Amino acid sequence: MYFKASLVEINRRLGPVLKELGLRMRLEGQEERHLYFQRTDENGLVWRSPLSFIFMDPERSGIPEATFANNSIVLGGGRSQMHAVGTNGWVHFVGGWSLNFHEIGRQDFKTWDDAFEHAAMVLLEDPLVPEGYGLPTILDDGQMFMFWGKLRDLAKERGIEDIEVGRIDQDREFYEFEYQGAQFRLVFDLDDKVQIIRNGIEVEEIDVRRRGGLWDAVASLLDGPDSDCDDMREP
């Protein structure tokens, strides 16, 4: 195998940490050149560390076997974070293995000892990231997550304590809350559009990429005249 010796060395260096965390090494990608560290939970869901090694293909490296001595492996060192979103138990994961790449011997890691020290730190400190979309209580929409801080501030200023997060289908997720007897729902879709719904009726549609557009629209609606309450209807 082109990178067998490297796999043996990775296991020798990181094996104790992997065992402690219950993680296994997994090769995937084109010609199995991406090495991940992962575990599968009781529900069959795969959880991966943001750490990975990417093996340079033989055509590019020009050598018969990948080894640490010839700098033929790239360390993917993306960091991950888990954030609470809403008030009903949903979370969102930011970051992952693909965010940063470091060729050993250049830039961040001058030696493989430095690289493995960093790798062990990421394995121990960073939360595992779930593989897949549409998972229960795990928010997928990045734009929706980015708006969470602003919505939380708007709610706090108006005494709104409960903001629920939910999913309609694989393309749409939403925030929902009550204010002054009216029910509000903000539905985010994959086209960067947000439906603002009050008591089951769409009031406005906003392009979330407009700077300040969604914040202004929601604040204006909350501070505007009250409307009669109708039953909520799914958009």
Side-chain angles (χ1 to χ4, degrees), residues 10-224:
I10 290 171
N11 187 60
R12 184 183 74 81
R13 299 252 199 163
L14 298 178
V17 175
L18 297 177
K19 184 176 181 180
E20 176 185 344
L21 299 174
L23 298 175
R24 294 186 176 184
M25 297 192 299
R26 170 86 177 187
L27 285 169
E28 285 187 10
Q30 185 179 8
E31 298 179 358
E32 295 189 330
R33 292 190 294 108
H34 292 220
L35 177 65
Y36 300 97
F37 304 91
Q38 65 186 46
R39 66 175 177 83
T40 303
D41 67 19
E42 62 276 8
N43 298 314
L45 177 62
V46 174
W47 294 81
R48 279 182 175 166
S49 168
L51 172 76
S52 72
F53 289 83
I54 297 89
F55 294 83
M56 191 179 298
D57 59 76
E59 290 76 14
R60 182 181 172 192
S61 67
I63 57 175
E65 182 179 18
T67 67
F68 294 112
N70 55 34
N71 239 4
S72 59
I73 298 176
V74 179
L75 174 71
R79 306 300 303 273
S80 66
Q81 296 176 325
M82 183 179 71
H83 298 269
V85 183
T87 58
N88 60 329
W90 282 61
V91 297
H92 181 67
F93 290 87
V94 178
W97 69 270
S98 62
L99 293 185
N100 297 290
F101 298 90
H102 312 276
E103 289 196 32
I104 311 306
R106 306 175 186 176
Q107 299 177 351
D108 300 285
F109 309 119
K110 294 181 178 180
T111 69
W112 276 103
D113 288 336
D114 294 336
F116 276 113
E117 182 178 349
H118 172 82
M121 178 190 67
V122 173
L123 287 169
L124 289 167
E125 295 184 0
D126 283 30
L128 302 178
V129 177
E131 287 293 299
Y133 296 92
L135 303 174
T137 70
I138 298 177
L139 182 71
D140 292 329
D141 196 307
Q143 293 283 8
M144 186 168 164
F145 167 70
M146 290 173 64
F147 187 65
W148 167 239
K150 297 177 181 178
L151 179 60
R152 181 180 53 200
D153 292 343
L154 282 171
K156 184 177 180 180
E157 291 171 0
R158 291 157 180 80
I160 300 170
E161 296 182 356
D162 297 320
I163 301 177
E164 294 195 354
V165 177
R167 177 179 292 122
I168 299 171
D169 52 38
Q170 64 179 358
D171 297 329
R172 295 178 295 172
E173 296 172 327
F174 63 86
Y175 291 120
E176 188 171 272
F177 56 92
E178 184 176 341
Y179 180 59
Q180 293 185 345
Q183 200 77 14
F184 294 89
R185 178 178 281 196
L186 310 179
V187 180
F188 290 69
D189 66 28
L190 295 182
D191 294 324
D192 292 324
K193 298 295 191 298
V194 181
Q195 289 176 293
I196 302 177
I197 299 168
R198 179 176 57 199
N199 296 329
I201 300 173
E202 181 178 329
V203 177
E204 190 173 357
E205 184 177 84
I206 298 290
D207 187 332
V208 74
R209 294 168 297 187
R210 273 178 43 198
R211 185 175 181 88
L214 182 57
W215 189 95
D216 291 337
V218 174
S220 177
L221 183 61
L222 294 179
D223 295 336

